[in-house]
Amino acid sequence: MKFEWRKQEKELYLPKEKPIKINVPEQKFYTLSGQGDPNGQQFSEEVSALYALSYGIRMLAKKGLISKEPFEYTVYPLEGLWTLSDEAVAEGRAFDKADLVYKIMIRQPDFITEEIAFANLEQVTKKKPNPNNQKVKFETIEEGICVQMLHVGPYSEEGKTFEVMERYCSEHRLSRKTFSHREIYLSDGRKVAPEKMKTTLRYPVK
C-alpha cells in the first residue's frame, strides 16, 4: 500500500481554517539555508535541489534498496522556516523581501539514515548536478508543542491568519518561543490561483 502523508498524517499537515495546538514529533529533513527574495532564480534552484534529492530517496525506497522491502510513498511537501535578518530587526527597517532569512526543507521517511541521505546526495549530484547540493544538510528537527492553522489565499495575506493564531494563543495563555515561523506549501503556485492556494502556518509555543 502506498503511504500518503495527506491521509496517514493529516493532523500534521492539513489543519482546518482555525488554530489548533499540536505536538510535532522528531522528523528528518534535507535542508537548505539562505537569505533574500524567494521570487528569485537562486531560491528556485535551491527548491529544485531539494526535490531532486527527495525523489532520489523515493526511488531507492520504491526499489527496496534502502529498506527490508519496497516502500512506496508520496514525496512530502516543501516547507520553510522564515524570519528576518538580525540587521533588519535591529534597525527596525520596513519589510523588504531582501531581508528574509530562510531554511527550506523536505521531510524524509523515518528510516532514512545520515549515511543513506549523503550517499543519495552523491548519486543525485552525479546524475543531475546542482551547485546548491553542496549546501544541503540532513537534519533531525523536533518542533514540539506548536500552534498551526491553514491559510487559504496568497502569501501576502498571511498576516490575517497570523492575527487569528495570535488571538488563539492569548486566549489559551500560550506565547511564541521564537520570532520565526514555518510554512508548509500544500499547493503548487505555478498551477493554483493565488486566492485558492493552501499553506499550513505553524510556530512553536510555550
Side-chain angles (χ1 to χ4, degrees):
M1 179 186 296
K2 185 176 182 179
F3 182 85
E4 298 277 3
W5 53 266
R6 285 180 177 271
K7 296 179 180 178
Q8 281 92 335
E9 296 182 292
K10 186 175 181 179
E11 183 182 31
L12 280 174
Y13 294 99
L14 299 168
K16 298 184 184 299
E17 291 182 68
K18 61 180 180 179
I20 61 168
K21 185 172 76 170
I22 184 172
N23 187 12
V24 183
E26 182 177 277
Q27 299 173 335
K28 297 178 179 181
F29 297 89
Y30 274 125
T31 70
L32 239 172
S33 298
Q35 179 173 345
D37 190 339
N39 295 311
Q41 182 64 26
Q42 175 63 30
F43 185 80
S44 177
E45 292 177 356
E46 290 170 347
V47 170
S48 294
L50 291 178
Y51 271 113
L53 293 170
S54 298
Y55 277 100
I57 288 289
R58 177 180 177 273
M59 185 57 65
L60 292 173
K62 184 177 181 180
K63 292 180 177 179
L65 300 177
I66 53 176
S67 55
K68 294 181 179 179
E69 58 185 32
F71 178 69
E72 190 170 359
Y73 66 98
T74 301
V75 168
Y76 282 91
L78 178 71
E79 306 184 31
L81 286 174
W82 296 90
T83 188
L84 293 172
S85 68
D86 292 339
E87 295 82 1
V89 174
E91 296 173 11
R93 296 202 292 253
F95 177 74
D96 187 333
K97 291 180 180 179
D99 291 324
L100 287 170
V101 175
Y102 57 83
K103 177 186 285 188
I104 53 175
M105 63 194 77
I106 296 179
R107 185 181 168 190
Q108 304 304 313
D110 293 339
F111 59 80
I112 300 303
T113 64
E114 187 173 274
E115 182 180 5
I116 292 172
F118 284 104
N120 175 64
L121 174 61
E122 183 177 351
Q123 183 177 347
V124 170
T125 300
K126 289 179 180 178
K127 293 181 178 179
K128 200 171 185 178
N130 185 318
N132 294 288
N133 286 356
Q134 62 185 345
K135 301 187 298 181
V136 171
K137 295 182 179 180
F138 183 68
E139 299 185 65
T140 298
I141 299 173
E142 183 176 0
E143 289 184 279
I145 303 300
C146 296
V147 167
Q148 70 177 22
M149 179 178 170
L150 180 67
H151 169 75
V152 179
Y155 304 133
S156 60
E157 295 181 2
E158 287 180 354
K160 298 176 183 178
T161 299
F162 281 121
E163 288 177 2
V164 176
M165 294 169 69
E166 288 163 7
R167 286 198 297 271
Y168 174 89
C169 288
S170 178
E171 292 168 359
H172 293 80
R173 298 183 179 180
L174 301 170
S175 59
R176 294 181 65 161
K177 293 176 66 175
T178 175
F179 181 70
S180 65
H181 71 274
R182 180 179 293 267
E183 299 182 355
I184 303 175
Y185 306 105
L186 305 175
S187 303
D188 187 338
R190 299 168 300 178
K191 301 176 182 178
V192 180
E195 65 273 14
K196 295 183 179 180
M197 289 174 56
K198 295 182 179 181
T199 309
T200 294
L201 303 181
R202 178 195 295 163
Y203 50 70
V205 296
K206 58 184 178 180

